[in-house]
């Protein structure tokens, strides 16, 4: 009986995997208008890998971050809001995910979903400005104004929360995507079958808020779920 149960579970997982793979092989009709809308909002975008063959569409064997990385290593200079360039990318690969480069026109504060949901409730209750928010599996992405592109380079200030693609796992709590980082844009698809989605009523129609008030609330929310750092030091907020 136990063997039959294990077999049934294996069949169920294989069926679910096959279904996810089949969905990943079909273009998402929402992708093109959502990517164009992000570019119109001023977000520089670049094509990214997508799920393929239960892994990643890139040619790297054993890709460590399947379907969540840009196609080109030159993504920072490639990222664009140019409509013609974006139309070319969309036509060339109808399955491609897209990323937006942060630290140019916007930043992203990236937190565990449970802390993010609590923070949204508090921000709304306080009447605070809350901009676009996207959900990626178990994380929420809060889009804000950027601190990463000052006219005077001497005004740039780093932060210990700064997250880059190669350091993301070092930040289990708050990740601040600014210079040299990126996030996936909706409706990017993950190998798990999940998609990145704008939260209802928190999409690109909203203006970008100042990151510091949002960061303060996110920090307190993360502390309640024992994510580090428990509190943002005042020196980080200067």
């Amino acid at each position: 009986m136990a063997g039959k149960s294990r077999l049934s579970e294996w069949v169920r997982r294989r069926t679910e995997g096959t279904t996810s793979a089949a969905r990943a092989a079909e273009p998402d009709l929402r992708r093109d208008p959502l990517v164009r809308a992000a570019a119109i909002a001023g977000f520089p975008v670049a094509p990214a890998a997508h799920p393929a063959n239960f892994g990643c569409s890139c040619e790297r064997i054993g890709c460590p971050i399947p379907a969540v990385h840009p196609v080109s290593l030159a993504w920072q200079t490639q990222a664009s809001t140019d409509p013609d360039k974006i139309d070319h990318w969309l036509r060339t690969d109808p399955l491609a995910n897209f990323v937006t480069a942060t630290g140019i026109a916007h930043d992203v504060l990236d937190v565990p979903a449970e802390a993010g949901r609590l923070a949204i409730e508090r921000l709304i209750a306080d009447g605070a400005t809350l901009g676009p928010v996207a959900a990626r599996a178990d994380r929420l992405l809060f889009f804000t104004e950027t601190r990463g592109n000052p006219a005077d380079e001497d005004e740039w200030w780093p932060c210990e929360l700064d997250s880059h693609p190669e350091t993301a796992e070092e930040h289990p709590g708050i990740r601040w995507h600014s210079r040299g980082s990126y996030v996936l844009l909706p409706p990017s698809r993950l190998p798990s079958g999940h998609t990145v989605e704008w939260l209802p009523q928190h999409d690109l129609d909203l203006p970008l808020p100042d990151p510091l008030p949002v960061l303060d609330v996110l920090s307190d929310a993360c502390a309640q779920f024992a994510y580090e750092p428990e509190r943002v030091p005042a020196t980080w907020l200067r």
Side-chain angles (χ1 to χ4, degrees), residues 7-204:
L7 177 60
S8 298
E9 177 67 13
W10 181 86
V11 170
R12 182 184 66 80
R13 289 179 178 176
R14 290 293 296 176
T15 301
E16 289 179 350
T18 302
T19 301
S20 295
R23 286 198 301 267
E26 299 174 356
D28 188 328
L29 298 180
R30 302 173 302 156
R31 186 200 66 164
D32 293 10
L34 284 176
V35 170
R36 290 190 182 104
I40 291 172
F43 298 177
V45 305
H50 60 84
N53 301 320
F54 302 101
C56 187
S57 63
C58 73
E59 298 178 353
R60 184 176 180 181
I61 298 175
C63 176
I65 47 174
V68 300
H69 62 84
V71 170
S72 172
L73 293 176
W75 59 269
Q76 291 189 65
T77 55
Q78 183 186 53
S80 176
T81 59
D82 179 73
D84 292 336
K85 184 177 291 188
I86 293 167
D87 284 346
H88 171 73
W89 288 333
L90 294 171
R91 288 194 308 269
T92 301
D93 190 348
L95 296 178
N97 286 335
F98 276 78
V99 298
T100 177
T102 53
I104 300 172
H106 68 292
D107 285 357
V108 171
L109 295 169
D110 169 357
V111 298
E114 55 189 0
R117 287 191 293 268
L118 177 60
I120 288 174
E121 293 175 0
R122 291 179 176 174
L123 288 164
I124 291 175
D126 291 344
T129 301
L130 183 60
V133 182
R136 175 190 157 182
D138 59 350
R139 311 279 302 185
L140 291 186
L141 311 176
F142 290 74
F143 286 69
T144 71
E145 294 177 343
T146 184
R147 78 190 202 287
N149 194 26
D152 183 350
E153 285 296 307
D154 291 336
E155 294 180 3
W156 162 253
W157 47 277
C159 172
E160 292 188 34
L161 297 178
D162 284 344
S163 179
H164 301 282
E166 65 274 11
T167 64
E169 295 308 314
E170 299 174 13
H171 302 276
I174 301 174
R175 301 169 184 168
W176 195 332
H177 299 276
S178 190
R179 284 187 172 188
S181 192
Y182 61 81
V183 297
L184 284 172
L185 279 171
S188 294
R189 291 182 277 194
L190 307 175
S192 63
H194 292 98
T195 57
V196 183
E197 301 286 351
W198 292 117
L199 295 189
Q201 300 180 347
H202 296 288
D203 56 19
L204 288 169

